[in-house]
């Protein structure tokens, strides 16, 4: 077996172009040796054998979810991302259409881990970049130094351009530097930390602000170092104040308890106005509208096309969803996807979300047991779901479980008499139906009852599929 050596520049577009040519030429993953090269080096000679091969039209054969995942994974620094992406792509194109729904698959798991680490790195960059003011002939220019773990500068720079649109700023990193002149972004080669400016008056202002928002009631040193790793501390002026803030914490806690409101603040104050789904997803990571965010690993927001005809709403993330960060990837999600496939519905065409975005559970030893969210927690989280519905504007809504059914149809909804009934609504969608949550099917102990409920569930999904296809 002769190996095909190819070279790819950093970035999704370069990898996609090479991968499409390899697919068109029928080159298997184990026949490719990937190399990462600079733009000046170009492709290694081995690509010459397939450069004229017809490219596979990825829009026709590759799920949009894979392309979204690949765009993030290509920002990872590990060179193994290139063969891993091509291997998963090859498997999807050659018969494993729903591969991404199998989160326990070794390749899929590796991709999801890379994606999570890139998203985490981008989140840290938006949180830990600190600008310092530099005076020049053209006026104030704000400069920051940062060390990203992955190749995220170009992907994350638009966040700062949007947030600091009226300022002229630069973010210096070892990989490359981002610059905003008030109108457009530009990028230059990376620089060492010695190029960054020293302290300024802004640091004192920021330290005052940080001292005011510091929450002494939630001091957990281990968790704090996890969220604010010590390798970032030399970038953050507020870290020098942390010992004093911790020492004064007991007195501040007593004052906070005396002033604490009784009701949950709700998610409303965290939901951005005039947002896209991506804006909502990023904002939801910081939601503290109810206590559920304290124990959950992460926010699990909805996913799927913003133009989807149909939206599926569940109750809340489960244990696996909380760890992976995606809805419906655990055992219940796999049952749901398998049933969808039997009735001819592609999960990738649906927008899938939950009524509550954080996992609520009770610890039992090393296990985390699902606990149903109460009415106050559901109410606190509803602004996220309402915003998703407003953006997607689905024509069809499928509610999985009583919690989602009651959120859409009111507290009087009961699964025993409301399952499988099609409702015509003006507020949410022209067509709305509720059925069992797949996790409920998995918990039915009696085999005969479980079989009956499973048949009803599949019949409801078949009706849902027929409505989507117009039959």
């Amino acid at each position: 077996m002769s190996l095909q050596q190819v070279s790819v520049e950093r970035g999704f577009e370069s990898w996609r172009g090479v991968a499409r040519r390899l697919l068109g030429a029928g080159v298997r993953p184990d026949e490719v040796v990937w190399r990462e090269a600079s733009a000046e080096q170009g492709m290694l000679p081995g690509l010459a054998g397939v450069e004229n091969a017809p490219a596979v039209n990825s829009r026709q054969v590759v799920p949009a979810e894979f392309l979204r995942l690949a765009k993030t994974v290509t920002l990872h620094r590990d060179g193994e991302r290139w063969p891993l992406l091509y291997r998963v792509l090859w498997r999807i194109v050659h018969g494993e259409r729903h591969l991404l729904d199998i989160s326990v698959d070794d390749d899929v798991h590796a991709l999801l881990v890379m994606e999570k680490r890139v998203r985490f790195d981008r989140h840290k960059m938006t949180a830990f970049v600190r600008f310092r003011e530099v005076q020049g002939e053209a006026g104030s220019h704000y400069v920051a130094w940062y060390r990203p773990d992955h190749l995220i500068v170009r992907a994350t720079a638009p966040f700062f351009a949007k947030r600091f649109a009226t300022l002229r700023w630069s973010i210096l990193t070892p990989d490359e530097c981002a610059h905003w002149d008030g109108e457009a972004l530009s990028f230059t080669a990376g620089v060492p930390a010695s190029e960054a400016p020293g302290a300024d008056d802004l640091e004192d202002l920021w330290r005052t602000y940080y001292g005011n928002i510091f929450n002494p009631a939630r001091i957990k040193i281990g968790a704090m170092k996890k969220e604010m790793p010590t390798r970032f501390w030399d970038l953050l002026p507020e870290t020098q104040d942390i010992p004093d803030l911790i020492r004064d914490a007991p007195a501040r806690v007593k004052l906070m308890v005396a002033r604490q409101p009784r009701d949950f603040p709700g998610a409303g104050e965290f939901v951005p106005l005039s947002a896209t789904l991506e804006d909502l997803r990023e904002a939801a990571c910081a939601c503290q509208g109810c206590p559920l965010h304290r124990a959950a690993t992460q926010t699990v927001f909805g996913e799927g096309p913003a133009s989807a005809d149909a939206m599926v709403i569940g109750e809340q993330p489960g244990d696996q969803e909380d760890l992976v960060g995606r809805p419906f990837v655990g055992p219940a999600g796999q049952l749901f996807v398998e049933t969808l496939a039997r009735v001819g519905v592609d999960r990738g065409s649906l927008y899938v979300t939950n009524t509550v975005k954080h996992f609520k559970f009770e610890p039992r030893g090393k296990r985390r047991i699902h606990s149903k969210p109460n009415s106050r927690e559901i109410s606190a989280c509803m602004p996220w779901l309402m915003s998703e519905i407003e953006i997607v504007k689905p024509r069809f809504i499928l509610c999985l479980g009583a919690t989602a059914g009651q959120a859409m149809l009111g507290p009087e909804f009961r699964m025993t008499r409301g399952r499988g009934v099609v409702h015509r609504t003006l507020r949410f969608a022209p067509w709305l139906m509720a059925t069992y949550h797949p996790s409920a099917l998995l918990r039915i102990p009696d085999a005969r009852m479980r079989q009956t409920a499973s048949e009803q569930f599949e019949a409801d999904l078949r009706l849902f599929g027929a409505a989507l296809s117009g039959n």
Side-chain angles (χ1 to χ4, degrees):
M1 177 180 67
S2 61
L3 296 179
Q4 185 74 44
Q5 296 193 48
V6 300
S7 180
V8 59
E9 300 168 18
R10 290 179 177 180
F12 171 74
E13 294 299 332
S14 175
W15 174 84
R16 181 170 66 172
V18 175
R20 291 176 66 189
R21 294 294 179 186
L22 292 171
L23 283 175
V27 180
R28 297 175 56 85
D30 56 1
E31 298 173 342
V32 185
V33 176
W34 294 83
R35 300 279 188 259
E36 188 169 301
S38 65
E40 291 77 14
Q41 288 177 291
M43 300 302 170
L44 291 177
L47 188 58
V50 299
E51 62 183 1
N52 296 320
V56 172
N57 189 335
S58 61
R59 292 185 178 180
Q60 295 179 358
V61 299
V62 180
E65 172 61 19
F66 174 79
L67 297 178
R68 184 198 67 77
L69 184 67
K71 287 179 180 178
T72 300
V73 171
T74 53
L75 303 179
H76 201 281
R77 199 178 291 274
D78 191 343
E80 288 302 309
R81 67 195 185 280
W82 307 122
L84 175 62
L85 282 166
Y86 185 63
R87 188 162 60 247
V88 172
L89 175 62
W90 176 274
R91 293 175 62 185
I92 291 174
V93 171
H94 289 81
E96 298 182 64
R97 178 73 177 178
H98 301 285
L99 177 61
L100 294 183
D101 295 325
I102 308 174
S103 60
V104 295
D105 179 89
D106 288 344
D107 287 341
V108 174
H109 176 72
L111 275 186
L112 293 177
V113 169
M114 284 189 175
E115 181 204 30
K116 182 177 180 180
R117 288 175 179 169
V118 170
R119 287 193 292 107
F120 180 79
D121 197 27
R122 293 187 62 186
H123 170 69
K124 292 302 179 188
M125 182 173 179
T126 61
F128 294 149
V129 163
R130 296 289 185 269
F131 289 102
R132 293 184 170 103
E133 186 176 12
V134 177
Q135 290 293 339
E137 295 182 0
S140 295
H141 193 96
Y142 295 87
V143 182
W145 162 257
Y146 188 75
R147 294 187 301 269
D149 288 335
H150 301 290
L151 309 172
I152 61 170
V153 175
R154 288 178 183 262
T156 313
F159 168 88
F160 295 96
K162 183 177 180 181
R163 172 160 290 188
F164 305 110
T166 61
L167 304 178
R168 295 186 308 116
W169 54 258
S170 297
I171 300 176
L172 313 180
T173 82
D175 297 311
E176 61 181 341
C177 303
H179 311 277
W180 173 254
D181 62 6
E183 295 182 359
L185 279 168
S186 61
F187 300 90
T188 58
V191 298
S194 59
E195 297 291 324
D200 69 348
D201 293 339
L202 283 179
E203 290 196 355
D204 291 335
L205 179 62
W206 170 249
R207 289 167 59 188
T208 301
Y209 169 73
Y210 182 80
N212 286 321
I213 66 170
F214 183 81
N215 187 344
R218 296 184 62 193
I219 293 177
K220 295 181 180 179
I221 302 301
M224 182 180 70
K225 289 184 177 179
K226 180 180 179 182
E227 291 300 316
M228 188 187 293
T230 54
R231 61 191 176 87
F232 292 110
W233 283 24
D234 61 339
L235 305 175
L236 307 176
E238 64 268 27
T239 54
Q240 59 187 290
D241 296 331
I242 288 179
D244 292 336
L245 293 171
I246 292 176
R247 186 188 63 248
D248 298 337
R252 294 183 64 183
V253 168
K254 292 181 180 179
L255 182 60
M256 289 176 61
V257 170
R259 295 177 176 176
Q260 186 175 11
R262 295 183 178 180
D263 296 327
F264 297 161
E269 66 184 76
F270 299 92
V271 178
L273 299 176
S274 303
T276 64
L277 285 176
E278 188 60 32
D279 292 334
L280 289 179
R281 186 173 291 108
E282 290 186 8
C285 292
C287 183
Q288 299 180 11
C290 78
L292 295 187
H293 74 277
R294 298 172 184 167
T297 303
Q298 59 189 311
T299 303
V300 181
F301 207 73
E303 65 177 25
S307 59
D309 279 342
M311 177 180 288
V312 177
I313 305 173
E315 180 191 88
Q316 66 165 342
D319 180 77
Q320 289 299 309
E321 288 79 5
D322 176 68
L323 297 175
V324 174
R326 296 179 57 211
F328 287 89
V329 296
Q334 293 178 26
L335 174 59
F336 177 54
V337 171
E338 291 169 1
T339 311
L340 281 178
R342 286 200 297 272
V343 303
V345 177
D346 181 3
R347 169 182 166 149
S349 67
L350 309 175
Y351 186 86
V352 183
T353 189
N354 282 298
T355 308
V356 173
K357 309 305 185 191
H358 287 109
F359 179 35
K360 182 179 181 180
F361 62 91
E362 296 178 2
R364 295 184 186 174
K366 295 183 178 180
R367 300 179 60 197
R368 303 189 300 173
I369 306 301
H370 163 275
S371 179
K372 183 177 180 179
N374 60 42
S375 59
R376 292 203 302 160
E377 292 159 347
I378 294 170
S379 176
C381 207
M382 281 298 289
W384 294 117
L385 180 58
M386 294 298 99
S387 296
E388 289 174 291
I389 293 174
E390 181 179 352
I391 292 174
V392 177
K393 294 181 175 59
R395 293 191 298 123
F396 307 88
I397 289 181
L398 177 66
C399 298
L400 301 180
T403 297
Q406 290 172 355
M408 293 292 98
L409 297 170
E412 67 280 0
F413 172 80
R414 295 293 182 272
M415 188 64 66
T416 51
R417 59 176 181 269
R419 181 202 60 79
V421 177
V422 176
H423 299 264
R424 308 295 179 180
T425 71
L426 296 177
R427 182 183 179 191
F428 302 122
W431 189 101
L432 188 150
M433 184 180 73
T435 187
Y436 299 120
H437 195 289
S439 64
L441 303 179
L442 297 175
R443 292 195 298 267
I444 298 176
D446 183 85
R448 182 177 299 179
M449 293 178 63
R450 183 169 60 252
Q451 178 65 27
T452 299
S454 298
E455 291 172 356
Q456 293 172 338
F457 178 68
E458 182 168 335
D460 291 342
L461 262 59
R462 196 171 298 280
L463 176 59
F464 173 63
L468 283 176
S469 61
N471 297 327

